[in-house]
Amino acid sequence: MKILGIETSCDETAAAVVEGGSKVVSNVVASQIDIHARYGGVVPEVASRQHLLTIIPVINKAMAEVSWQDINGIAVTFGPGLAGSLLVGVNVAKAIALAKKLPLIGVNHLEAHIYANWLDSFKGEPRKVEFPCLCLVVSGGHSDLVLMRGHRQFEKLGRTRDDAAGEAFDKAARILGLGYPGGPAIEEAARSGIPCLPLPRAWLKESHDFSFSGLKTALWHLVHKGGISVADAAASFQLAIVDVLVSKTIEAAKQLEVEQVLLSGGVAANKTLTQHFIANAPVSVLIPPPHLCTDNAAMVAACGYYHFQAGRISGYDLDVVPSLSLG
Ligand code: KG4
Ligand code: ZN
């Protein structure tokens, strides 16, 4: 069974075909990063206009080697995300579903990030996910810790109380003059630095929640005092985020006696984060390859496949829900 996935929730226009919920047949991502970089962040109006320009060519490319007759359903992200951007994907998906008489499947973007873990790795090895598993979703807008007991059974344990991990990376990069997007820029700068600067960690011991805004403010004060190396500041900031994400997730994994830990979202592309998880987790850790951690439509198609299997089809009145949450 093949599903066409469509993703336009933020600044990536993406379409992909996935077979059986795991085999990536095609995966096309048109990134708008270069357009938004000059403004230091995503400009919503520019993003939606750019989605309009690229969505049809991107879908055509994803479908280049696939016959429409072989497609069994259209999965599309309907939230959370930027309203204008989501509208482009949802309306195109509706139009195709109606014209081709195919079922429409609305997908939660955060669930989709988690389902990137079901996609075959770049080595082509099938991945085996075991329930119950603990999912850490760390993206530009979210830092959620979620217990998953089965398909579509999400129990949110923790979230960020202020900045998301990706947002913290983006803001820290701006403070350090490293440009946008911040995560990859900080990771690159940190390679030649030593994590020697004193930066705080908000442990919030009584809960599974996260908080990163104090860390960002502490970095700002350090930088404005002067006399520090950008590389050392990037390495120290990165390690502070990694320490908190890894320690709190592992503590929850032990408490809940889960079978696996699943990482996902753009920040899961960070090598220091994944190395610390692999070195310290008491159970196996699944991590999608970096290009499936950041926004893509293969994860949307994989998630849509499991909805479809469970008979969860959306009506043609599907609307966008910009503030949709998980669980
Ligand atoms: O999941 P994603 O592509 O889009 C959202 O759904 O938000 O995540 C984007 C976020 C950005 O904040 C970006 O700075 C961060 O993921 N990111 C990284 C890395 N690559 C992307 N953060 C740390 N290290 C990276 N290598
Ligand atoms: Zn995302």
Side-chain angles (χ1 to χ4, degrees):
M1 175 183 293
K2 290 194 179 95
I3 303 284
L4 169 66
I6 297 175
E7 157 65 40
T8 63
S9 67
C10 189
D11 60 344
E12 257 92 32
T13 318
V17 176
V18 170
E19 187 171 358
S22 66
K23 186 174 180 283
V24 182
V25 176
S26 65
N27 185 24
V28 182
V29 180
S31 175
Q32 305 176 6
I33 280 177
D34 293 343
I35 297 167
H36 298 288
R38 75 185 82 141
Y39 305 108
V42 178
V43 183
E45 291 79 3
V46 175
S48 41
R49 229 172 296 146
Q50 198 59 32
H51 285 306
L52 274 176
L53 293 174
T54 43
I55 186 74
I56 300 299
V58 162
I59 291 173
N60 283 341
K61 196 165 173 196
M63 288 297 298
E65 315 240 310
V66 183
S67 159
W68 280 104
Q69 277 163 357
D70 291 340
I71 297 292
N72 301 91
I74 315 277
V76 63
T77 302
F78 71 102
L82 301 169
S85 293
L86 290 164
L87 273 168
V88 177
V90 166
N91 282 306
V92 167
K94 278 187 200 175
I96 297 175
L98 270 166
K100 305 277 183 196
K101 298 189 172 56
L102 286 167
L104 179 70
I105 310 152
V107 165
N108 178 321
H109 180 79
L110 301 170
E111 283 184 23
H113 268 304
I114 292 174
Y115 273 88
N117 282 292
W118 268 261
L119 294 168
D120 292 349
S121 75
F122 57 98
K123 288 178 193 146
E125 296 157 3
R127 292 165 152 253
K128 188 158 169 16
V129 180
E130 289 167 36
F131 296 117
C133 55
L134 185 63
C135 311
L136 177 69
V137 189
V138 270
S139 68
H142 296 81
S143 299
D144 290 339
L145 198 56
V146 184
L147 178 65
M148 206 177 163
R149 294 190 192 277
H151 284 298
R152 302 174 325 282
Q153 291 176 39
F154 301 101
E155 187 185 324
K156 187 138 101 186
L157 305 172
R159 58 180 173 86
T160 181
R161 293 191 184 170
D162 37 60
D163 293 347
E167 185 182 1
F169 270 109
D170 293 337
K171 288 177 176 171
R174 207 173 305 156
I175 292 170
L176 294 172
L178 291 172
Y180 176 85
I186 293 221
E187 180 167 31
E188 179 59 33
R191 267 190 250 283
S192 50
I194 300 164
C196 55
L197 302 175
L199 286 172
R201 277 95 169 128
W203 293 114
L204 305 180
K205 287 265 185 225
E206 77 290 0
S207 82
H208 295 300
D209 284 353
F210 301 104
S211 164
F212 297 112
S213 74
L215 169 63
K216 171 198 63 193
T217 309
L219 178 75
W220 189 90
H221 284 296
L222 266 184
V223 169
H224 282 79
K225 250 201 255 162
I228 56 149
S229 115
V230 168
D232 289 351
S236 306
F237 182 85
Q238 176 174 262
L239 188 62
I241 296 224
V242 166
D243 265 354
V244 172
L245 291 175
V246 173
S247 304
K248 295 202 66 155
T249 306
I250 288 179
E251 195 181 297
K254 286 180 183 160
Q255 266 176 27
L256 297 156
E257 299 179 350
V258 295
E259 296 291 332
Q260 280 180 331
V261 169
L262 271 56
L263 305 188
S264 59
V267 179
N270 185 285
K271 282 274 169 308
T272 304
L273 179 75
T274 57
Q275 283 162 0
H276 279 243
F277 260 111
I278 290 165
N280 295 297
V283 290
S284 74
V285 184
L286 291 190
I287 310 155
H291 71 285
L292 297 175
C293 286
T294 48
D295 285 351
N296 66 87
M299 66 186 196
V300 177
C303 185
Y305 169 84
Y306 285 96
H307 280 295
F308 190 71
Q309 291 289 82
R312 284 201 64 249
I313 305 299
S314 310
Y316 291 121
D317 59 348
L318 176 71
D319 201 358
V320 303
V321 184
S323 60
L324 189 66
S325 69
L326 191 62

